[in-house]
């Protein structure tokens, strides 16, 4: 195992500036036996990567603190990752302030799920850009190295890599991403390259020393500063635009993530739109179905549905698959009396057209700029009365249907079922009773159907809710409208 370190040469150019010459020909590094690491996609990160940039000379102002990661200032691993994390960000602040060549901030994001549901410890974002997944240039993770391993464990490398994989998913046009894995004493760069739609190639650099023993910069530090001195495109970032035939859609920021898609605010034809981008090609059929249904629903010319501006779902091309919807809406927060009529009328027209939404719930209702309510996400919709397996919203189904799910039977989605689901979701939104939600990834639908059946056996039993449910059971759209509107009097 090679363990030599090269000292950097710091020359004082004049009394105002220092110049750090980074000597690439004689860099020191740790190297470790290759370890096989499984990432989120179950791939191995074992191929070695030579540090990909030429270490360059960097000028810095005299007396400025440059965040050298001095050995005796780094919190020990016994103090825990939290302190190491805080220390890392402080040193990065000093680095990004000290060097004119660096146009990034290194931001601590470990407390919130910036990348969909994932929380990397830090991200590298251009100084002028707001914090948004679309603007993340590189990601990083801080992990403690245990004496047992003497190296980042396979789990650590896999964990860090998964953030890079997620970033590639959220920035669908970028070709590659770098992930920094560090414990403040050493660092590793993980490179994830996308050569096809889901074909990722992984490489990692040998561990390089980041900490400084004697006030001079270590090789890993030079690498880190060099990385931060690259322009965003060199680090794999690309401006977020999508193309379909001769049309261009600019992605502005991410606004939501669903099970199958990431949704962005976009600009298309000088209008604000929502761009719904497929997370994985395994969901393509659901997207195609939504595309098909949206085309059908366009005939209704409804103020309470979205319009499909265009769709790009060609699996022969490697690029992102997406649909562009308008208008761009805001979140739906509370029910208003004037929402009842348009919602019921829209459902009636959709039912007459021969379809059931099947996923009627708060999250699939939005409000447009004119305060119209819009029913979105038609990916789970089905033809009326067609027996199918359960999908979509479970917690608001009628008790008999929940029983069918418990018994493993197919469900014939009728308009009555949809109206009961609507009533129950209004009930949940209005009263907000404590009701457990199915944790993401829990497929034990039968068990959850039992939980919800039991819940409804004890709720919405008052005479007014019984009347409302009766109207839904009889598909009495008009009766339902007036009963629900009376709730707001
Ligand atoms: N037109 C729009 N304007 C603003 N935000 C939107 C728009 N369309 C969708 N969104 C946002 O994106 C989120 C996800 O959208 P949608 O439900 O269509 O995706 P999905 O992947 O099919 O979700 P799931 O299958 O989990 O229900 C919505 O909850 C909403 O926050």
């Amino acid at each position: 195992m090679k363990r030599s370190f090269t000292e950097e040469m710091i020359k004082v150019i004049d009394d105002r500036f220092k110049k750090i010459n980074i000597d690439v020909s004689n860099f020191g590094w740790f190297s470790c036996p290759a370890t096989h690491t499984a990432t989120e996609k179950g791939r191995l990160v074992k191929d070695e990567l030579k540090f990909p940039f030429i270490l360059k000379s960097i000028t810095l102002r005299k007396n400025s603190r440059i965040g050298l990661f001095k050995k005796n200032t780094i919190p020990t691993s016994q103090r825990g990752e939290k302190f190491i994390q805080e220390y890392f960000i402080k040193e990065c602040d000093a680095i990004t302030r000290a060097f004119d060549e660096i146009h990034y901030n290194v931001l601590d994001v470990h407390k919130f799920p910036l990348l969909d549901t994932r929380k990397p410890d830090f991200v590298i974002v251009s100084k002028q850009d707001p914090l948004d997944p679309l603007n993340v240039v590189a990601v990083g993770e801080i992990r403690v190295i245990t004496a047992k391993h003497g190296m980042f464990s396979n789990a650590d490398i896999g964990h860090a890599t998964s953030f890079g994989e997620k970033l590639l998913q959220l920035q669908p046009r970028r070709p590659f991403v770098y992930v920094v894995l560090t414990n403040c004493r050493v660092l590793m760069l993980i490179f994830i390259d996308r050569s096809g739609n889901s074909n990722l190639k992984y490489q990692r650099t040998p561990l390089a020393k980041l900490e400084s023993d004697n006030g001079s910069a270590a090789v890993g530090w030079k690498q880190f500063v060099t990385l931060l001195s690259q322009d965003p495109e060199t680090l794999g970032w690309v401006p977020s635009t999508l193309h379909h035939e001769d049309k261009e859609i600019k992605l502005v920021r991410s606004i939501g993530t669903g099970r199958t898609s990431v949704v962005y605010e976009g600009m298309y034809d000088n209008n604000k739109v929502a761009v719904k981008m497929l997370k994985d090609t395994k969901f393509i059929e659901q997207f195609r179905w939504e595309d098909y249904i949206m085309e059908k629903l366009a005939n209704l010319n409804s103020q309470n549905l979205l319009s499909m501006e265009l769709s790009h779902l060609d699996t022969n091309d490697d690029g992102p698959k997406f649909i562009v919807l308008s208008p761009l809406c805001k979140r739906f927060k509370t029910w208003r009396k004037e929402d009842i009529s348009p919602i019921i009328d829209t459902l009636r027209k959709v039912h007459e057209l021969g379809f059931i939404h099947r996923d009627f719930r708060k999250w699939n209702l939005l409000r447009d700029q004119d305060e119209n309510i819009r029913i979105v996400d038609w990916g789970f919709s089905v033809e009326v009365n067609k027996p199918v397996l359960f999908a979509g919203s479970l917690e608001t189904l009628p008790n008999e249907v929940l029983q069918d799910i418990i018994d493993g039977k197919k469900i014939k989605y009728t308009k009555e079922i949809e109206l009961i689901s609507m009533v129950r979701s209004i009930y949940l939104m209005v009263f907000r009773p404590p009701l457990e939600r199915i944790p993401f990834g829990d497929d034990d639908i039968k068990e959850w159907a039992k939980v919800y059946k039991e819940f409804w056996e004890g709720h919405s039993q008052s005479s007014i809710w019984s009347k409302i449910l009766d109207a839904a059971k009889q598909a009495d759209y008009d009766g339902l409208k007036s009963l629900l509107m009376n709730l707001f009097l």
Side-chain angles (χ1 to χ4, degrees):
M1 191 184 286
K2 192 174 170 187
R3 284 188 185 272
S4 70
F5 294 96
T6 301
E7 304 297 341
E8 87 296 358
M9 295 169 284
I10 303 178
K11 292 180 181 163
V12 177
I13 299 296
D14 59 35
D15 61 350
R16 299 196 54 152
F17 291 99
K18 283 188 208 161
K19 181 166 183 134
I20 300 184
N21 289 323
I22 298 176
D23 180 3
V24 67
S25 60
N26 189 19
F27 63 92
W29 50 282
F30 283 112
S31 76
C32 287
T35 38
H36 294 247
T37 304
T39 72
E40 196 172 61
K41 289 195 180 290
R43 303 286 293 276
L44 303 173
V45 183
K46 61 179 173 25
D47 293 339
E48 197 167 295
L49 172 75
K50 187 168 172 292
F51 183 72
F53 309 111
I54 295 172
L55 300 179
K56 57 182 187 179
S57 302
I58 296 162
T59 309
L60 70 150
R61 286 188 197 90
K62 193 195 166 197
N63 294 336
S64 54
R65 210 174 84 65
I66 57 167
L68 264 184
F69 289 88
K70 287 190 186 142
K71 187 174 185 166
N72 53 6
T73 62
I74 303 173
T76 59
S77 55
Q78 285 80 8
R79 293 193 71 194
E81 259 172 30
K82 181 172 171 279
F83 286 94
I84 299 177
Q85 162 92 13
E86 280 168 9
Y87 175 84
F88 179 81
I89 295 295
K90 244 175 43 217
E91 292 299 85
C92 288
D93 281 349
I95 291 174
T96 52
R97 267 202 299 267
F99 296 97
D100 292 339
E101 292 84 346
I102 297 179
H103 304 293
Y104 300 116
N105 284 324
V106 179
L107 302 175
D108 181 346
V109 292
H110 80 285
K111 282 202 179 123
F112 63 99
L114 178 70
L115 305 181
D116 190 358
T117 55
R118 313 299 311 274
K119 298 177 186 171
D121 282 335
F122 61 93
V123 290
I124 296 172
V125 177
S126 291
K127 281 178 181 165
Q128 80 277 3
D129 286 342
L131 180 58
D132 184 274
L134 285 179
N135 297 330
V136 174
V137 172
V139 276
E141 183 65 4
I142 291 161
R143 289 272 144 155
V144 166
I145 293 184
T146 57
K148 183 176 146 218
H149 286 100
M151 157 62 176
F152 293 115
S153 68
N154 290 348
D156 292 337
I157 298 173
H159 191 73
T161 306
S162 70
F163 296 126
E165 292 170 332
K166 186 47 104 183
L167 196 66
L168 287 175
Q169 187 188 71
L170 296 175
Q171 295 181 8
R173 286 190 57 241
R174 83 181 280 164
F176 58 85
V177 64
Y178 288 99
V179 182
V180 179
L181 176 58
T182 182
N183 65 348
C184 285
R185 298 186 186 277
V186 290
L187 68 72
M188 167 191 287
L189 214 55
I190 299 166
F191 176 66
I192 312 168
D193 187 21
R194 157 161 54 198
S195 42
N197 213 3
S198 51
N199 213 356
L200 301 182
K201 198 176 92 192
Y202 304 83
Q203 286 176 294
R204 58 184 169 88
T205 58
L207 284 190
K209 190 174 178 182
L210 178 63
E211 74 182 0
S212 164
D213 293 331
N214 53 7
S216 55
V219 169
W221 185 89
K222 295 172 198 169
Q223 291 185 353
F224 188 50
V225 171
T226 301
L227 178 92
L228 291 173
S229 308
Q230 305 301 311
D231 60 39
E233 282 79 5
T234 310
L235 298 180
W237 181 88
V238 289
S240 301
T241 48
L242 296 170
H243 295 96
H244 174 70
E245 295 165 354
D246 57 344
K247 300 170 187 111
E248 186 180 89
I249 305 104
K250 192 171 179 302
L251 300 184
V252 178
R253 64 188 179 99
S254 14
I255 48 177
T257 351
R259 202 181 49 88
T260 57
S261 67
V262 184
V263 180
Y264 301 87
E265 174 183 328
M267 280 303 283
Y268 170 60
D269 217 10
N270 284 328
N271 288 317
K272 284 186 175 183
V273 290
V275 182
K276 190 168 167 175
M277 187 115 46
L278 194 64
K279 271 184 176 175
D280 194 303
T281 40
K282 70 183 179 204
F283 301 122
I284 189 79
E285 285 316 319
Q286 191 175 326
F287 245 53
R288 290 207 170 113
W289 178 250
E290 183 164 2
D291 184 31
Y292 167 79
I293 296 286
M294 293 301 288
E295 221 178 282
K296 296 262 176 210
L297 298 183
N299 295 321
L300 299 177
N301 215 357
S302 167
Q303 293 268 296
N304 306 100
L305 299 170
L306 298 178
S307 313
M308 172 84 81
E309 297 294 330
L310 57 88
S311 67
H312 182 92
L313 302 176
D314 182 1
T315 35
N316 291 325
D317 102 43
D318 275 351
K321 317 287 173 274
F322 58 90
I323 54 184
V324 177
L325 299 159
S326 72
L328 180 72
C329 299
K330 34 189 194 178
R331 276 180 57 204
F332 169 84
K333 290 187 185 143
T334 42
W335 277 96
R336 299 173 191 166
K337 186 177 182 182
E338 55 274 25
D339 295 329
I340 301 293
S341 202
I343 282 286
I344 294 183
D345 285 342
T346 308
L347 288 181
R348 181 188 343 222
K349 286 183 204 151
V350 173
H351 296 165
E352 281 164 9
L353 201 65
F355 298 103
I356 298 285
H357 182 281
R358 225 183 14 156
D359 200 15
F360 191 97
R361 48 184 158 156
K362 184 177 167 182
W363 293 273
N364 288 332
L365 297 174
L366 297 175
R367 232 178 246 297
D368 66 22
Q369 303 307 320
D370 301 324
E371 305 296 316
N372 293 314
I373 197 161
R374 305 263 176 170
I375 310 175
V376 308
D377 194 6
W378 292 82
F380 282 128
S381 57
V382 275
E383 287 166 31
V384 175
N385 295 341
K386 190 173 172 186
V388 284
L389 287 171
F390 161 78
S393 174
L394 180 68
E395 69 267 28
T396 55
L397 286 172
N399 295 14
E400 311 77 63
V401 180
L402 290 169
Q403 188 58 52
D404 284 347
I405 293 172
I406 297 165
D407 297 340
K409 290 187 189 153
K410 283 193 170 178
I411 304 164
K412 211 163 83 177
Y413 280 94
T414 59
K415 51 192 188 216
E416 292 81 8
I417 291 182
E418 179 119 288
L419 292 177
I420 293 171
S421 282
M422 183 202 65
V423 167
R424 288 191 161 177
S425 60
I426 294 177
Y427 180 91
L428 294 180
M429 280 182 249
V430 173
F431 292 105
R432 298 171 197 256
L435 175 64
E436 257 190 290
R437 297 195 45 80
I438 307 180
F440 186 74
D442 187 343
D443 292 331
D444 200 348
I445 295 303
K446 287 187 183 183
E447 277 310 306
W448 282 100
K450 280 186 206 160
V451 171
Y452 293 136
K453 185 162 176 274
E454 205 168 294
F455 171 85
W456 288 114
E457 280 162 359
H459 286 82
S460 67
Q461 304 293 330
S462 67
S463 67
I464 177 69
W465 283 96
S466 303
K467 265 194 205 156
I468 294 173
L469 282 166
D470 276 347
K473 274 181 203 154
Q474 286 157 31
D476 175 6
Y477 296 91
D478 291 328
L480 196 51
K481 251 196 237 178
S482 64
L483 283 166
L484 284 171
M485 286 198 315
N486 280 342
L487 290 177
F488 292 84
L489 286 175

